[in-house]
């Protein structure tokens, strides 16, 4: 065993902090919200992660989403290995990119074309630039608590790590950039209507998570996404639906698919994609009778199968505003990287209905068990769930009023989550290290792994009940 393997997480964290700001390459990993020391992960397999100290945890983070099939899925690893021996990056087109674009479009039929990038941040940033290029307008509307990555204009009142740290936005974002983003309360129909009445002609796009999951999981109220669609259409703005987190995770057609009752039956529904007429007819047919269809979708996480890959997609008319066809510039040295493309393609191929049925069932079992335990322990909380995604908001306010927006998410008792988190961790269950993040399960979470989670709940709930707010 190497010397490194014998070092404790504490020692490794201290060394990392010397070399990397905060010891991490993405803030939420630093455990700022829950306290304690992050685990330095050595390896992961199925529903488990193992740290450098040799502790094995049932993982409910799943790499923040990508590990839909479980960690180190053998077929995905094999696909990457087969690809790696042929070259790591070419900076030139590959057939696999066209195949991945087809696989995405087959599940998201409003996406006639797809542009691949490396991160969700790039996908939403490009979507915004594209919307501005298409409409010739400047203003963007986003919702408080929604996270769309860390590009300047989208950081205002963002969820995820920004919410965890209680930041209003970020230093380094100019007032001029911030002034082009209008932030509204989520699920507030009237606020959106009023904003469009006042400034509708200047709004390029409304960007919204299909189902917000970065302030904890906060599903849209019935009709809210449709309301965004109706207003954007009326005023000539674009609707950007961010499925970076939910896409291909909560179902083959993301949360949009769940809302529209659209469930692709692959491969039976697939046209011959090389025949352009057949393809156009297929797209039109698929989009019939749907409740709403956004203009631009953004994807990430699952489509890279654990490798850096993200994308945006939309109609050919909109997408061909991107360079080299159109005037909206976008590029990337590693965009469509062969290894990431191979991992994404294999992941989508394996993500059949049984995968979604299993993840939804596991999420239901765990979230119900949490509700039951909380009742028994008399701990007030609210569990929000959207397909296989869920999160837990501790506190009387969430329990009584529900959580439908960022203000209500902020009313959660984070000190109880902190205690709950550590009590679960002591029993080798790894939860997201913040009450503002979704819990992720995978198809590899078998009954044994689920059983371990369930049996850890009673004492963790007890810890949450006994917790005291030290900030008071
Ligand atoms: N959009 C959503 C909805 C996300 O959840 C995230 C990341 O969590 C992003 C965009 C940014 O993606 P990335 O971290 O790959 O830049």
């Amino acid at each position: 065993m190497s010397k490194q393997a014998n070092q404790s997480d504490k020692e490794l964290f201290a060394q990392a902090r010397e070399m990397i700001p905060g010891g991490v390459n993405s803030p939420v990993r630093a455990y700022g919200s829950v306290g304690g020391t992050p685990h330095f992960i050595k390896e992961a397999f199925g529903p488990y992660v193992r740290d450098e100290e040799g502790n094995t945890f049932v993982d409910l983070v799943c790499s923040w989403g990508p590990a839909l099939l479980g960690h180190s899925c053998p077929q995905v690893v094999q696909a990457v290995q087969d690809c790696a021996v042929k070259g790591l990056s070419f900076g030139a087109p590959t057939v696999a990119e066209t195949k991945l674009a087809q696989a995405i479009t087959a599940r998201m039929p409003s996406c006639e074309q797809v542009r691949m990038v490396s991160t969700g941040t790039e996908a939403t940033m490009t979507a915004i630039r594209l919307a501005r290029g298409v409409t010739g307008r400047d203003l963007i509307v986003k919702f408080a608590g929604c996270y769309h990555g860390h590009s300047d204009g989208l950081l205002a009142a963002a969820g995820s790590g920004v919410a965890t740290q209680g930041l209003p936005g970020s230093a380094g974002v100019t007032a001029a950039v911030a002034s082009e983003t209008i932030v509204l309360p989520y699920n507030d129909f009237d606020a959106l209507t009023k904003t469009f009445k006042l400034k509708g002609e200047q709004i390029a796009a409304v960007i919204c998570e299909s189902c917000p999951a970065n302030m904890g999981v906060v599903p849209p109220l019935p009709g809210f996404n449709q309301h965004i669609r109706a207003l954007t259409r009326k005023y000539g703005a674009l609707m950007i639906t961010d499925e970076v987190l939910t896409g291909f995770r909560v179902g083959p057609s993301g949360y949009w698919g769940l809302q529209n009752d659209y469930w692709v039956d692959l491969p039976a529904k697939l046209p011959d994609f090389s025949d352009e007429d057949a393809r156009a007819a297929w797209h039109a047919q698929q989009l019939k009778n749907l409740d709403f269809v956004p203009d631009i979708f953004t994807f990430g996480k699952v489509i890279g199968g654990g490798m850096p890959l993200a994308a945006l997609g939309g109609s050919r008319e909109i997408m061909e505003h991107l360079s080299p066809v159109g005037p909206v510039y976008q590029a990337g040295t590693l965009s469509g990287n062969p290894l990431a493309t191979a991992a994404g393609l294999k992941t989508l191929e394996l993500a059949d209905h049984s995968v979604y049925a299993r993840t939804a069932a596991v999420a239901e079992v765990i979230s119900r068990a949490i509700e039951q335990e909380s009742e028994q322990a008399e701990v007030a909380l609210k569990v929000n769930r959207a397909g296989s995604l869920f999160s837990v908001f501790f506190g009387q306010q969430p329990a009584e009023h529900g959580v439908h927006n960022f203000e209500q998410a902020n009313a959660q008792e984070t000190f109880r989550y902190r205690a709950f988190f550590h009590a679960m961790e002591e029993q080798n269950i790894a939860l997201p290290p913040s009450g503002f993040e979704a819990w992720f399960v995978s198809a590899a979470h078998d009954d044994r792994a689920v059983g371990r989670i369930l049996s850890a709940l009673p004492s963790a709930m007890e810890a949450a009940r006994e917790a005291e707010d030290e900030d008071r």
Side-chain angles (χ1 to χ4, degrees), residues 111-352:
C111 298
E112 290 176 299
Q113 292 195 343
V114 174
R115 167 61 57 88
M116 280 156 219
V117 292
S118 298
T119 66
T121 296
E122 279 179 86
T124 56
M125 183 184 77
T126 305
I128 296 289
R129 188 180 304 146
L130 179 57
R132 286 180 169 142
V134 169
T135 60
R137 301 172 179 181
D138 292 341
L139 294 183
I140 298 296
V141 175
K142 84 172 279 282
F143 296 95
C146 283
Y147 181 68
H148 304 289
H150 61 95
S151 67
D152 284 1
L154 293 173
L155 272 180
S160 193
V162 184
T164 302
Q165 297 188 6
L167 301 174
S170 169
V173 176
T174 64
V177 167
S179 72
E180 288 176 339
T181 307
I182 301 172
V183 182
L184 298 179
Y186 186 63
N187 270 330
D188 189 331
F189 288 68
D190 287 347
L192 191 61
T193 308
K194 278 183 196 147
T195 302
F196 266 98
K197 271 194 186 144
L198 275 174
K199 303 199 163 172
E201 314 294 327
Q202 301 164 56
I203 296 172
V206 176
I207 183 165
C208 190
E209 289 184 63
S210 195
C211 169
N214 283 291
M215 49 176 145
V217 174
V218 178
L221 288 173
F224 190 66
N225 277 329
Q226 292 82 340
H227 186 59
I228 298 175
R229 176 67 285 182
L231 282 173
T232 44
R233 183 156 286 149
K234 180 170 168 192
Y235 287 89
L238 300 192
M239 176 179 186
I240 303 171
T241 294
D242 184 351
E243 294 256 10
V244 165
L245 192 148
T246 46
F248 315 107
R249 172 155 266 286
V250 297
S253 307
Y255 194 76
W256 171 82
L258 293 191
Q259 282 214 298
N260 271 291
D261 225 355
Y262 181 82
W263 199 261
V264 278
D265 187 12
L266 296 166
K269 273 190 184 170
L270 285 187
D272 173 5
F273 274 149
S274 58
D275 176 341
E276 218 171 283
D277 289 343
R279 189 166 115 93
W282 177 83
H283 279 286
Q285 175 64 28
Q286 295 300 303
L287 297 178
K288 264 189 183 168
N289 308 322
L290 292 176
D291 208 8
F292 68 99
V293 180
D295 298 299
I296 303 175
F297 278 104
T298 52
F299 309 109
K301 298 188 188 262
V302 170
I303 52 162
M307 302 284 289
L309 198 146
L312 60 151
S315 66
R316 173 190 283 259
E317 193 191 338
I318 288 177
M319 294 298 287
E320 287 196 340
H321 281 76
L322 285 174
S323 55
V325 190
V328 179
Y329 192 71
Q330 185 280 328
T333 302
L334 293 178
S335 292
N337 171 268
L339 301 193
T341 305
L345 253 179
K346 186 50 80 179
T347 300
L348 289 191
E349 189 187 311
L350 295 172
D352 61 13

